[in-house]
Amino acid sequence: MPFYIRIGKFAVSTLGLMITISLFISYVVSLQISRYIGILKSQTENIFLAGALSGIFFGRLFYIIKNHDQIPNVISVFQIWNGGIDYYGTMIGVIIGVVSVAWLYNIPILKALDITSIIGSLMLGFGYISAGLVGFGFGRPVPMAVDVTPGFHLLRVFPFFYVVYKFGDIAPPSIPFYPVQFIYGILFLLFGISLIFYVIKKQDRFMGEVFSIFLMLYGISNIIVGYYTISRVVFNHITLEQLFGLLSFISGSVILMLLKSEKTSV
């Protein structure tokens, strides 16, 4: 997909356009499921807005701190389409924004994190796929690939396909890469849809249950897909992504067990 979509004399960032669409879809979904979580729609709107803006701000801030040598001037700071935003900075920003609004409205933090987990899953899904389309965050090169024409190609083993980017994309062209962004995107969209059905069907949930499950699912996805990323190896063949995944899964499991023993219903 081209990095820019041209409409007459105007050029629109492909990544920015798809993220805007994902924000709109996530916003609509958040309003529809808010009653199942036990939060007013008006409060949900503010939680969503605060989480989105804070996530973008801190995500960009962390990116600039980590890649300050790639920021030539002050104007470049605000050009999010040039380099993008940092994933972990975005997550921290979202949590700060959500917790702040929850505190303002006197909403239990765990309840706010429950709805954020669902919306976050959908936004991460769209975000990962959007980034993958223009070549952000490509995975390791595929050693057994033969066809290096631009596009998607099938593999006999997991993840069963790989991607080759063309000239003009952010990723190096004509190199077969594991499609980690697309796999993450598909998984997180499935997580989000599954959690939506979960909160609709299961009425006797306790606060923080959805958030705990999200942490566990996030951990599982990182443990599986993290092997194919270009993340730094920290121990043996374990990458940094897989280590974060393991910590996330353990944290989610522990939180789930602790909350289940207290069982504070939604």
Side-chain angles (χ1 to χ4, degrees):
M1 178 173 285
F3 192 62
Y4 289 100
I5 296 176
R6 295 198 171 275
I7 304 174
K9 296 181 179 180
F10 299 96
V12 180
S13 166
T14 304
L15 182 60
L17 177 63
M18 295 197 67
I19 290 177
T20 301
I21 294 172
S22 74
L23 284 170
F24 175 74
I25 293 174
S26 301
Y27 170 73
V28 172
V29 171
S30 68
L31 296 183
Q32 296 303 313
I33 65 169
S34 59
R35 64 189 181 95
Y36 296 102
I37 302 294
I39 302 177
L40 297 175
K41 282 190 176 182
S42 59
Q43 296 174 335
T44 302
E45 286 180 327
N46 289 326
I47 287 175
F48 180 88
L49 182 62
L53 293 178
S54 182
I56 293 172
F57 174 78
F58 280 95
R60 185 59 176 174
L61 179 63
F62 274 55
Y63 176 85
I64 292 170
I65 293 173
K66 290 169 64 176
N67 304 277
H68 57 87
D69 56 322
Q70 300 178 21
I71 309 296
N73 50 56
V74 177
I75 296 177
S76 299
V77 171
F78 304 99
Q79 295 175 334
I80 297 179
W81 54 91
N82 286 333
I85 57 180
D86 180 75
Y87 170 76
Y88 295 105
T90 302
M91 294 297 289
I92 292 172
V94 168
I95 292 173
I96 291 174
V98 168
V99 170
S100 298
V101 174
W103 176 80
L104 184 65
Y105 282 118
N106 200 27
I107 299 172
I109 301 299
L110 289 174
K111 185 177 287 190
L113 289 175
D114 278 343
I115 193 169
T116 303
S117 298
I118 298 173
I119 304 309
S121 295
L122 295 177
M123 291 182 66
L124 282 171
F126 286 118
Y128 274 121
I129 292 175
S130 302
L133 287 172
V134 295
F136 275 124
F138 49 89
R140 291 193 288 109
V142 181
M144 71 288 291
V146 177
D147 192 344
V148 291
T149 55
F152 295 98
H153 305 278
L154 295 178
L155 274 177
R156 293 178 180 269
V157 295
F158 186 84
F160 305 117
F161 73 103
Y162 64 92
V163 61
V164 179
Y165 292 98
K166 64 182 184 304
F167 286 96
D169 289 331
I170 295 171
S174 303
I175 299 177
F177 292 112
Y178 284 111
V180 292
Q181 297 288 54
F182 295 101
I183 301 173
Y184 273 132
I186 293 169
L187 287 176
F188 276 107
L189 287 178
L190 290 175
F191 294 162
I193 294 170
S194 299
L195 290 175
I196 289 172
F197 281 104
Y198 186 80
V199 298
I200 293 175
K201 296 295 183 182
K202 189 177 182 185
Q203 301 297 321
D204 60 337
R205 289 173 287 103
F206 51 87
M207 286 191 293
E209 183 173 344
V210 176
F211 173 62
S212 305
I213 295 173
F214 168 75
L215 287 178
M216 295 169 65
L217 291 174
Y218 169 76
I220 292 172
S221 68
N222 261 29
I223 291 171
I224 296 174
V225 186
Y227 173 77
Y228 300 97
T229 66
I230 55 175
S231 179
R232 182 167 60 90
V233 175
V234 292
F235 176 75
N236 242 347
H237 296 290
I238 299 176
T239 66
L240 192 60
E241 292 280 343
Q242 290 177 304
L243 181 60
F244 277 125
L246 181 61
L247 292 175
S248 178
F249 181 81
I250 294 173
S251 300
S253 302
V254 172
I255 293 172
L256 184 65
M257 288 187 291
L258 291 175
L259 292 177
K260 193 172 184 179
S261 63
E262 296 180 8
K263 195 127 184 179
T264 306
S265 298
V266 173

